[in-house]
Amino acid sequence: MLIIAGLGNPGSKYAGNRHNIGFMAADAIHRRHGFSPWSKKFKAEISEGELGGEKVLLIKPQTYMNLSGEAVGEAIRFYKLQPSDLVAIYDELDLPPGKARLKIGGGNGGHNGIRSLDAHCGKDYRRLRLGIGHPGVKELVQHHVLGDFARADQAWLQPLLETLADNADMLVRREDSQFMNKLALAVGGKAEAEAEADKPKPEKKPAAQSHIHQARHPQPKLPATGPMAEMLKKMFGNKGE
């Protein structure tokens, strides 16, 4: 059995927030694969279904993000599962919008929902991070995370969620690399890579010379004869003497 936990905050107030992309992913899987109606258990909304021939429990903790581990931990203990039987889906500030990363274990990256999961479930579970981008300055992070996705975000958000749901059975079969390729293609990852490769490389300009390098170059020769030479000799003397 596999548990797929989408992280977010409960209630209509938060439904469209960037922080709730984990809930959105769980809902997309639920719609696509005909899971059972959502019900309440383990301080969460849960739904049972099947992916790739294996039983799967979708879970959306209702404890608010910072206590997500309480709900997911209860479910893991109830079904006598291991951290390896868990996939957590959540938002990632440090990834550009639409980009995704999947790995086992690691740090929490300052994400309080993951910090809670680590404390209640152990750390060796798969983490599917979905990029929401960073606002650029620390002071705007909370507003950005708890703000709704903009209309322009739908251009990548819907294809990402739909592709995630369509290929969720790959998570069950642990075909992680193939799954990530599907997500990248959904948001134009391949096209972006090709476009980058097609760009002409800028010509290298000669490196600017440092003042040290310039100082090592031979200086122009001073005049040996004439009025200027005589004046310099009077000022500095003749080094040959």
Side-chain angles (χ1 to χ4, degrees):
M1 180 179 179
L2 183 71
I3 293 179
I4 298 179
L7 304 191
N9 287 312
S12 58
K13 175 183 176 182
Y14 303 101
N17 287 182
R18 295 179 180 89
H19 214 24
N20 271 39
I21 196 170
F23 273 15
M24 295 175 192
D27 286 334
I29 295 171
H30 182 268
R31 289 191 300 269
R32 174 67 179 81
H33 296 281
F35 275 60
S36 67
W38 292 104
S39 61
K40 293 187 180 298
K41 193 175 183 179
F42 310 124
K43 301 179 186 175
E45 288 187 355
I46 66 168
S47 175
E48 295 182 353
E50 189 176 288
L51 292 171
E54 186 172 335
K55 185 177 179 181
V56 172
L57 180 76
L58 291 175
I59 182 168
K60 297 190 296 183
Q62 301 296 292
T63 51
Y64 288 93
M65 181 67 83
N66 293 1
L67 300 176
S68 297
E70 292 184 4
V72 180
E74 277 193 32
I76 285 180
R77 290 187 292 275
F78 180 85
Y79 291 106
K80 297 180 173 60
L81 300 175
Q82 301 298 318
S84 58
D85 300 314
L86 169 65
V87 176
I89 308 176
Y90 59 100
D91 59 299
E92 176 57 76
L93 273 169
D94 294 329
L95 285 176
K99 300 297 182 183
R101 295 290 184 273
L102 179 60
K103 68 173 183 177
I104 299 173
N108 59 56
H111 194 291
N112 288 330
I114 297 304
R115 182 179 285 113
S116 180
L117 253 65
D118 288 352
H120 289 270
C121 308
K123 294 186 176 183
D124 295 329
Y125 56 89
R126 283 185 287 169
R127 303 157 190 242
L128 177 55
R129 298 178 291 149
L130 304 179
I132 60 169
H134 196 287
V137 291
K138 185 178 179 180
E139 291 75 16
L140 295 178
V141 165
Q142 184 174 359
H143 176 76
H144 177 74
V145 166
L146 295 179
D148 287 354
F149 282 108
R151 184 177 298 177
D153 290 323
Q154 300 306 316
W156 62 263
L157 180 61
Q158 290 308 314
L160 178 70
L161 294 175
E162 288 171 10
T163 303
L164 189 159
D166 288 345
N167 298 281
D169 56 319
M170 288 183 169
L171 291 172
V172 173
R173 295 194 299 268
R174 300 183 186 274
E175 297 171 349
D176 292 356
S177 296
Q178 297 93 317
F179 178 72
M180 295 307 295
N181 286 338
K182 295 281 189 182
L183 296 189
L185 288 170
V187 295
K190 184 177 180 181
E192 287 178 9
E194 289 176 348
E196 191 67 29
D198 291 340
K199 287 180 182 178
K201 294 182 180 179
E203 293 182 7
K204 290 186 177 180
K205 295 181 179 179
Q209 295 179 346
S210 69
H211 66 283
I212 297 175
H213 182 84
Q214 291 170 352
R216 286 175 177 168
H217 275 236
Q219 299 298 320
K221 290 185 178 181
L222 298 175
T225 59
M228 180 63 73
E230 292 299 323
M231 182 182 73
L232 291 173
K233 284 181 181 179
K234 289 178 180 179
M235 291 176 61
F236 300 108
N238 192 336
K239 290 186 179 180
E241 294 175 352

PDB file of all heavy atoms in Angstrom, residues 119-142:
ATOM      1  N   ALA A 119       9.267  14.648  11.740  1.00  0.00           N
ATOM      2  CA  ALA A 119       9.185  14.350  13.170  1.00  0.00           C
ATOM      3  C   ALA A 119       8.257  13.175  13.457  1.00  0.00           C
ATOM      4  O   ALA A 119       8.514  12.385  14.378  1.00  0.00           O
ATOM      5  CB  ALA A 119       8.710  15.582  13.929  1.00  0.00           C
ATOM      6  N   HIS A 120       7.189  13.023  12.668  1.00  0.00           N
ATOM      7  CA  HIS A 120       6.177  12.003  12.962  1.00  0.00           C
ATOM      8  C   HIS A 120       6.291  10.744  12.103  1.00  0.00           C
ATOM      9  O   HIS A 120       5.732   9.707  12.477  1.00  0.00           O
ATOM     10  CB  HIS A 120       4.775  12.593  12.777  1.00  0.00           C
ATOM     11  CG  HIS A 120       4.391  13.585  13.826  1.00  0.00           C
ATOM     12  ND1 HIS A 120       3.750  13.232  14.992  1.00  0.00           N
ATOM     13  CD2 HIS A 120       4.557  14.934  13.879  1.00  0.00           C
ATOM     14  CE1 HIS A 120       3.533  14.317  15.726  1.00  0.00           C
ATOM     15  NE2 HIS A 120       4.018  15.364  15.078  1.00  0.00           N
ATOM     16  N   CYS A 121       6.985  10.835  10.974  1.00  0.00           N
ATOM     17  CA  CYS A 121       6.994   9.717  10.023  1.00  0.00           C
ATOM     18  C   CYS A 121       8.390   9.188   9.719  1.00  0.00           C
ATOM     19  O   CYS A 121       8.518   8.185   9.004  1.00  0.00           O
ATOM     20  CB  CYS A 121       6.343  10.137   8.698  1.00  0.00           C
ATOM     21  SG  CYS A 121       4.718  10.886   8.878  1.00  0.00           S
ATOM     22  N   GLY A 122       9.439   9.847  10.209  1.00  0.00           N
ATOM     23  CA  GLY A 122      10.786   9.521   9.767  1.00  0.00           C
ATOM     24  C   GLY A 122      11.099  10.326   8.516  1.00  0.00           C
ATOM     25  O   GLY A 122      10.235  11.025   7.986  1.00  0.00           O
ATOM     26  N   LYS A 123      12.317  10.217   8.039  1.00  0.00           N
ATOM     27  CA  LYS A 123      12.740  11.080   6.931  1.00  0.00           C
ATOM     28  C   LYS A 123      12.863  10.383   5.583  1.00  0.00           C
ATOM     29  O   LYS A 123      12.941  11.044   4.550  1.00  0.00           O
ATOM     30  CB  LYS A 123      14.094  11.724   7.260  1.00  0.00           C
ATOM     31  CG  LYS A 123      14.032  12.700   8.423  1.00  0.00           C
ATOM     32  CD  LYS A 123      15.362  13.407   8.615  1.00  0.00           C
ATOM     33  CE  LYS A 123      15.275  14.446   9.723  1.00  0.00           C
ATOM     34  NZ  LYS A 123      16.548  15.192   9.871  1.00  0.00           N
ATOM     35  N   ASP A 124      12.857   9.060   5.573  1.00  0.00           N
ATOM     36  CA  ASP A 124      13.161   8.339   4.329  1.00  0.00           C
ATOM     37  C   ASP A 124      11.917   8.068   3.489  1.00  0.00           C
ATOM     38  O   ASP A 124      11.634   6.926   3.111  1.00  0.00           O
ATOM     39  CB  ASP A 124      13.894   7.037   4.646  1.00  0.00           C
ATOM     40  CG  ASP A 124      15.255   7.297   5.262  1.00  0.00           C
ATOM     41  OD1 ASP A 124      15.873   8.330   4.926  1.00  0.00           O
ATOM     42  OD2 ASP A 124      15.706   6.476   6.086  1.00  0.00           O
ATOM     43  N   TYR A 125      11.169   9.118   3.208  1.00  0.00           N
ATOM     44  CA  TYR A 125      10.014   9.006   2.310  1.00  0.00           C
ATOM     45  C   TYR A 125      10.290   9.838   1.055  1.00  0.00           C
ATOM     46  O   TYR A 125      11.205  10.673   1.040  1.00  0.00           O
ATOM     47  CB  TYR A 125       8.727   9.477   3.004  1.00  0.00           C
ATOM     48  CG  TYR A 125       8.786  10.884   3.556  1.00  0.00           C
ATOM     49  CD1 TYR A 125       8.425  11.982   2.777  1.00  0.00           C
ATOM     50  CD2 TYR A 125       9.208  11.112   4.870  1.00  0.00           C
ATOM     51  CE1 TYR A 125       8.483  13.270   3.294  1.00  0.00           C
ATOM     52  CE2 TYR A 125       9.269  12.393   5.392  1.00  0.00           C
ATOM     53  CZ  TYR A 125       8.897  13.471   4.595  1.00  0.00           C
ATOM     54  OH  TYR A 125       8.968  14.747   5.096  1.00  0.00           O
ATOM     55  N   ARG A 126       9.526   9.592   0.012  1.00  0.00           N
ATOM     56  CA  ARG A 126       9.720  10.339  -1.225  1.00  0.00           C
ATOM     57  C   ARG A 126       9.039  11.699  -1.135  1.00  0.00           C
ATOM     58  O   ARG A 126       7.919  11.818  -0.651  1.00  0.00           O
ATOM     59  CB  ARG A 126       9.175   9.546  -2.422  1.00  0.00           C
ATOM     60  CG  ARG A 126      10.114   8.434  -2.846  1.00  0.00           C
ATOM     61  CD  ARG A 126       9.614   7.739  -4.106  1.00  0.00           C
ATOM     62  NE  ARG A 126       8.461   6.896  -3.822  1.00  0.00           N
ATOM     63  CZ  ARG A 126       7.706   6.342  -4.770  1.00  0.00           C
ATOM     64  NH1 ARG A 126       7.955   6.581  -6.048  1.00  0.00           N
ATOM     65  NH2 ARG A 126       6.700   5.564  -4.437  1.00  0.00           N
ATOM     66  N   ARG A 127       9.756  12.697  -1.618  1.00  0.00           N
ATOM     67  CA  ARG A 127       9.283  14.082  -1.536  1.00  0.00           C
ATOM     68  C   ARG A 127       9.161  14.640  -2.951  1.00  0.00           C
ATOM     69  O   ARG A 127      10.153  14.789  -3.650  1.00  0.00           O
ATOM     70  CB  ARG A 127      10.287  14.922  -0.730  1.00  0.00           C
ATOM     71  CG  ARG A 127      10.515  14.356   0.673  1.00  0.00           C
ATOM     72  CD  ARG A 127      11.857  14.800   1.253  1.00  0.00           C
ATOM     73  NE  ARG A 127      12.146  14.055   2.483  1.00  0.00           N
ATOM     74  CZ  ARG A 127      12.294  14.610   3.687  1.00  0.00           C
ATOM     75  NH1 ARG A 127      12.241  15.909   3.815  1.00  0.00           N
ATOM     76  NH2 ARG A 127      12.533  13.863   4.733  1.00  0.00           N
ATOM     77  N   LEU A 128       7.944  14.928  -3.339  1.00  0.00           N
ATOM     78  CA  LEU A 128       7.681  15.515  -4.651  1.00  0.00           C
ATOM     79  C   LEU A 128       7.446  17.009  -4.451  1.00  0.00           C
ATOM     80  O   LEU A 128       6.403  17.432  -3.947  1.00  0.00           O
ATOM     81  CB  LEU A 128       6.470  14.863  -5.308  1.00  0.00           C
ATOM     82  CG  LEU A 128       6.035  15.428  -6.662  1.00  0.00           C
ATOM     83  CD1 LEU A 128       7.183  15.423  -7.673  1.00  0.00           C
ATOM     84  CD2 LEU A 128       4.833  14.661  -7.202  1.00  0.00           C
ATOM     85  N   ARG A 129       8.459  17.782  -4.807  1.00  0.00           N
ATOM     86  CA  ARG A 129       8.397  19.231  -4.626  1.00  0.00           C
ATOM     87  C   ARG A 129       7.950  19.888  -5.927  1.00  0.00           C
ATOM     88  O   ARG A 129       8.533  19.653  -6.984  1.00  0.00           O
ATOM     89  CB  ARG A 129       9.768  19.779  -4.215  1.00  0.00           C
ATOM     90  CG  ARG A 129      10.280  19.226  -2.894  1.00  0.00           C
ATOM     91  CD  ARG A 129      11.665  19.759  -2.572  1.00  0.00           C
ATOM     92  NE  ARG A 129      12.668  19.232  -3.482  1.00  0.00           N
ATOM     93  CZ  ARG A 129      13.770  19.892  -3.843  1.00  0.00           C
ATOM     94  NH1 ARG A 129      13.987  21.125  -3.414  1.00  0.00           N
ATOM     95  NH2 ARG A 129      14.639  19.337  -4.661  1.00  0.00           N
ATOM     96  N   LEU A 130       6.941  20.732  -5.832  1.00  0.00           N
ATOM     97  CA  LEU A 130       6.414  21.442  -6.995  1.00  0.00           C
ATOM     98  C   LEU A 130       6.735  22.930  -6.844  1.00  0.00           C
ATOM     99  O   LEU A 130       6.323  23.570  -5.869  1.00  0.00           O
ATOM    100  CB  LEU A 130       4.900  21.224  -7.112  1.00  0.00           C
ATOM    101  CG  LEU A 130       4.442  19.760  -7.175  1.00  0.00           C
ATOM    102  CD1 LEU A 130       2.925  19.678  -7.268  1.00  0.00           C
ATOM    103  CD2 LEU A 130       5.097  19.028  -8.345  1.00  0.00           C
ATOM    104  N   GLY A 131       7.482  23.457  -7.789  1.00  0.00           N
ATOM    105  CA  GLY A 131       7.963  24.830  -7.676  1.00  0.00           C
ATOM    106  C   GLY A 131       6.868  25.872  -7.783  1.00  0.00           C
ATOM    107  O   GLY A 131       5.999  25.797  -8.659  1.00  0.00           O
ATOM    108  N   ILE A 132       6.919  26.841  -6.882  1.00  0.00           N
ATOM    109  CA  ILE A 132       5.998  27.988  -6.947  1.00  0.00           C
ATOM    110  C   ILE A 132       6.776  29.295  -7.114  1.00  0.00           C
ATOM    111  O   ILE A 132       6.181  30.370  -7.159  1.00  0.00           O
ATOM    112  CB  ILE A 132       5.098  28.068  -5.688  1.00  0.00           C
ATOM    113  CG1 ILE A 132       5.941  28.231  -4.412  1.00  0.00           C
ATOM    114  CG2 ILE A 132       4.208  26.835  -5.581  1.00  0.00           C
ATOM    115  CD1 ILE A 132       5.139  28.578  -3.172  1.00  0.00           C
ATOM    116  N   GLY A 133       8.101  29.219  -7.187  1.00  0.00           N
ATOM    117  CA  GLY A 133       8.913  30.422  -7.348  1.00  0.00           C
ATOM    118  C   GLY A 133       9.074  31.188  -6.046  1.00  0.00           C
ATOM    119  O   GLY A 133       8.333  30.985  -5.088  1.00  0.00           O
ATOM    120  N   HIS A 134      10.054  32.061  -6.034  1.00  0.00           N
ATOM    121  CA  HIS A 134      10.362  32.887  -4.850  1.00  0.00           C
ATOM    122  C   HIS A 134      10.074  34.345  -5.194  1.00  0.00           C
ATOM    123  O   HIS A 134      10.390  34.792  -6.301  1.00  0.00           O
ATOM    124  CB  HIS A 134      11.837  32.712  -4.477  1.00  0.00           C
ATOM    125  CG  HIS A 134      12.182  33.189  -3.103  1.00  0.00           C
ATOM    126  ND1 HIS A 134      12.250  34.533  -2.773  1.00  0.00           N
ATOM    127  CD2 HIS A 134      12.477  32.501  -1.972  1.00  0.00           C
ATOM    128  CE1 HIS A 134      12.570  34.653  -1.504  1.00  0.00           C
ATOM    129  NE2 HIS A 134      12.711  33.434  -0.990  1.00  0.00           N
ATOM    130  N   PRO A 135       9.471  35.091  -4.277  1.00  0.00           N
ATOM    131  CA  PRO A 135       9.156  36.498  -4.580  1.00  0.00           C
ATOM    132  C   PRO A 135      10.376  37.398  -4.690  1.00  0.00           C
ATOM    133  O   PRO A 135      10.267  38.541  -5.130  1.00  0.00           O
ATOM    134  CB  PRO A 135       8.273  36.920  -3.402  1.00  0.00           C
ATOM    135  CG  PRO A 135       8.705  36.033  -2.283  1.00  0.00           C
ATOM    136  CD  PRO A 135       9.040  34.719  -2.931  1.00  0.00           C
ATOM    137  N   GLY A 136      11.545  36.908  -4.266  1.00  0.00           N
ATOM    138  CA  GLY A 136      12.770  37.690  -4.410  1.00  0.00           C
ATOM    139  C   GLY A 136      13.326  38.242  -3.122  1.00  0.00           C
ATOM    140  O   GLY A 136      14.533  38.357  -2.968  1.00  0.00           O
ATOM    141  N   VAL A 137      12.451  38.567  -2.182  1.00  0.00           N
ATOM    142  CA  VAL A 137      12.917  39.079  -0.890  1.00  0.00           C
ATOM    143  C   VAL A 137      12.180  38.355   0.235  1.00  0.00           C
ATOM    144  O   VAL A 137      11.008  37.986   0.092  1.00  0.00           O
ATOM    145  CB  VAL A 137      12.696  40.606  -0.752  1.00  0.00           C
ATOM    146  CG1 VAL A 137      13.607  41.372  -1.685  1.00  0.00           C
ATOM    147  CG2 VAL A 137      11.253  40.970  -1.005  1.00  0.00           C
ATOM    148  N   LYS A 138      12.869  38.149   1.337  1.00  0.00           N
ATOM    149  CA  LYS A 138      12.343  37.372   2.449  1.00  0.00           C
ATOM    150  C   LYS A 138      11.037  37.953   2.995  1.00  0.00           C
ATOM    151  O   LYS A 138      10.129  37.214   3.388  1.00  0.00           O
ATOM    152  CB  LYS A 138      13.396  37.297   3.557  1.00  0.00           C
ATOM    153  CG  LYS A 138      13.021  36.412   4.729  1.00  0.00           C
ATOM    154  CD  LYS A 138      14.144  36.360   5.749  1.00  0.00           C
ATOM    155  CE  LYS A 138      13.751  35.486   6.930  1.00  0.00           C
ATOM    156  NZ  LYS A 138      14.844  35.427   7.948  1.00  0.00           N
ATOM    157  N   GLU A 139      10.959  39.284   2.997  1.00  0.00           N
ATOM    158  CA  GLU A 139       9.794  39.942   3.591  1.00  0.00           C
ATOM    159  C   GLU A 139       8.493  39.624   2.851  1.00  0.00           C
ATOM    160  O   GLU A 139       7.405  39.755   3.405  1.00  0.00           O
ATOM    161  CB  GLU A 139      10.007  41.462   3.625  1.00  0.00           C
ATOM    162  CG  GLU A 139      11.071  41.937   4.606  1.00  0.00           C
ATOM    163  CD  GLU A 139      12.494  41.659   4.118  1.00  0.00           C
ATOM    164  OE1 GLU A 139      12.666  41.385   2.895  1.00  0.00           O
ATOM    165  OE2 GLU A 139      13.427  41.711   4.935  1.00  0.00           O
ATOM    166  N   LEU A 140       8.587  39.213   1.592  1.00  0.00           N
ATOM    167  CA  LEU A 140       7.386  38.947   0.789  1.00  0.00           C
ATOM    168  C   LEU A 140       7.021  37.464   0.725  1.00  0.00           C
ATOM    169  O   LEU A 140       6.021  37.107   0.100  1.00  0.00           O
ATOM    170  CB  LEU A 140       7.591  39.470  -0.639  1.00  0.00           C
ATOM    171  CG  LEU A 140       7.752  40.983  -0.796  1.00  0.00           C
ATOM    172  CD1 LEU A 140       8.003  41.338  -2.257  1.00  0.00           C
ATOM    173  CD2 LEU A 140       6.524  41.714  -0.270  1.00  0.00           C
ATOM    174  N   VAL A 141       7.822  36.625   1.373  1.00  0.00           N
ATOM    175  CA  VAL A 141       7.604  35.177   1.256  1.00  0.00           C
ATOM    176  C   VAL A 141       6.224  34.760   1.761  1.00  0.00           C
ATOM    177  O   VAL A 141       5.494  34.022   1.082  1.00  0.00           O
ATOM    178  CB  VAL A 141       8.710  34.396   1.995  1.00  0.00           C
ATOM    179  CG1 VAL A 141       8.301  32.933   2.206  1.00  0.00           C
ATOM    180  CG2 VAL A 141      10.002  34.451   1.202  1.00  0.00           C
ATOM    181  N   GLN A 142       5.845  35.208   2.959  1.00  0.00           N
ATOM    182  CA  GLN A 142       4.563  34.777   3.524  1.00  0.00           C
ATOM    183  C   GLN A 142       3.395  35.212   2.646  1.00  0.00           C
ATOM    184  O   GLN A 142       2.469  34.428   2.386  1.00  0.00           O
ATOM    185  CB  GLN A 142       4.386  35.328   4.938  1.00  0.00           C
ATOM    186  CG  GLN A 142       3.107  34.824   5.605  1.00  0.00           C
ATOM    187  CD  GLN A 142       2.990  35.241   7.061  1.00  0.00           C
ATOM    188  OE1 GLN A 142       3.868  35.900   7.587  1.00  0.00           O
ATOM    189  NE2 GLN A 142       1.912  34.856   7.708  1.00  0.00           N
TER     190      GLN A 142
END
